Amino acid sequence: MIFNKQIFLYGLAINLLFVSISCNSTKSVIAPEIVHLGASSATIAWVSNEPYKGRIFYYAAGNSAMTQTAEENFSHSYNHEVHIDGLETGTQYIYWIGNNETKYFFRTEPADVKPFSFLIEVNNLSDRISTLLISEMPEFILSFSSESNIKNDYYQSIKPYIPLYDLNGQRSNYLNMEHQLNETDNSWMLDWGGLSLIFINDASKQIHFLDSPVAHTIGIIFQGKDQVFTKEAIKQSELHELILFHNEYFPSNKIAFVFIPGVNIKKQAIDTINYVQIPLVENKNIKKTAAIRVDVNIETTYAVLLDTGDEITLKLPPLKENRTCEECRRLASTGAYEKSIRAYQEFIINNQGHFQIDDAYYMIADIMDTKLFQFEEAVEWYNKLLSGYPDSTLTPLAKQRLEYISKYADYNYEPLSLFERIRRVELLQSKNSAVDKDKVLNKTKKIIEQYQDAAIVPVIYYWLANQYRNIDIQKAKESYLTLLNKYPDHPYSKAVWWEIGDAYYDAKNYKDAIEAFNEALITIPASSDDIKAQITRAKRNLRRRHLNIICLLIPVFMAIISIVLPPVGIQFRIIGEAIISFVILLIIFSFASWLIAEQFSSITELIKITTGIAAAFTCGFPFSYVLANKVFRISNSHSKNKKIHAALFGLLINFICSASICYLTLYSTNEHYLTILNL
């Protein structure tokens, strides 16, 4: 009877504690949202259950030594909104919130002349959305699925990285809570880089967005449901008449394409305007594709159906209905680089004065540079572009590549050619084989042996170190230190000890990480605050690991002692009662967890934690009960006081055992919860 009362009281108390802890899990770590991205600024927001002043650490990708900090304006708040200014255009940044170890990234809006891609979600992508975020690297996602209005883990998983929009505007739980979203008007415009997307449900409303067009590519998302998708019906529509009127008066900023709702994906080209029928709303028909990647360039825009590979043209150059030298482009995409170069050269000879001659020059240089690794010829074609077309939008890219090539032009480009071929081709071919990758890295080392004083050697050392970080951390450290010792003044050498510390930290080798970070404090005193913060995290994680071992030994030791103390053994009846209690607590915890499911990163995590904690407060009872009775030699003839003492002792050791198993559960599932508990 005492045993059953213990289970009931303990289960009730721990259930309340569990709900309390889960409800407060947003204090330190919660998935943030990108609520604004500009060319030089970003705004990141999140919500917590306790007020504090939000702080974000960030740095440009590949430059962790230049970590900066941004804070929100309010001293203490539940709703946190941190604005970051002074960012570089079209640059990826890594960021994290306060002491939270989870790192995210975002990319600032590109310059108007720079190409970029975004994704259109036609049907619910579910868990594919995170994979596509990594594989396609979109600037933002535009969802035409009704699921985008539902709060679920799939959409929450991408919001820390890129904005999510639907037909009504930005999908943001934070902005919705702050009443900053307008749900009443479906007419709005999304400007991104050189693209303007106009969302309307009434053709006449597009006029309000076209008073002063500046984008090089303009598209319309028409939400009207009565438009018939035939050539005759479209030509007679008010929408088409207004677009023709606009294109006549703004020939340099024409509306290039229109998305119209429908069942299947179709295309009609009418008066140089590309109309595309696309399932903007859910319907009962099975869709052929769930996602579309839209590639936006200053002269051309294409939509690629990711599930079928089909390509739809949304915008073409002004002089022809087909892209300049389409055959040249096709040959390059199939790997026929020599034939592609000859085709581009023929195009230049036969089309003098054509508006895209500069593109042909650049493509020849790029193929020579990044595909064939013939750098002397690449330099020649890059210079032809610069001298003949100094105002081309491709000139900055050409200058950037010329600077890189000229910096490592010694030995007649031979070490550069060998390294670029390995980096761009051979490493990718070996990514699925550890043996092949090791051969590629050994081949890279031979470049250093053969050209020991080549200008590109420090770059190769740094590249090798980064490749080894996830394979062999000792080899990574050797490459980093060789770089530091041989080239102490090289820009890559400055943060070598910090890189080594991060490598050890990522490998969970916290002791060596702390030693490396201490060295970094000496070499990079300007970043001492960030390095000290990393040392603190490493010490904390080391302490957690030691505590995890202790927590593992406690229940094991208690179980062994309770069994081996005379009388040896344990009653199966008590184990049966513990199993019943486990099932009851599991049901209670599962229900409590379901109420706050959004606090967990996944369903798997929810199941692990609820099962682990339910086990924690039942597994210890049989052994604590038996151990207490054996220690106090309890029998039916003993006094009531002695039985109470035994019960209290049993509760005490059971509490210790339960706390240990809870810690083991949280440590093995997600250390984030230990951060919340300040452990």
Side-chain angles (χ1 to χ4, degrees), residues 114 358 362 382 384-402:
K114 297 296 184 180
D358 61 331
Y362 180 81
Y382 279 134
K384 285 182 180 180
L385 171 64
L386 296 181
S387 60
Y389 303 89
D391 297 326
S392 170
T393 57
L394 299 170
T395 296
L397 293 176
K399 288 181 177 179
Q400 184 180 5
R401 288 304 299 170
L402 277 173

Side-chain angles (χ1 to χ4, degrees), residues 55-57 59 67 94-98 100 102-103 537:
R55 175 183 296 178
I56 283 180
F57 297 91
Y59 61 83
T67 301
I94 312 299
Y95 75 95
W96 64 96
I97 297 174
N100 179 17
T102 303
K103 292 185 178 180
R537 296 189 190 101

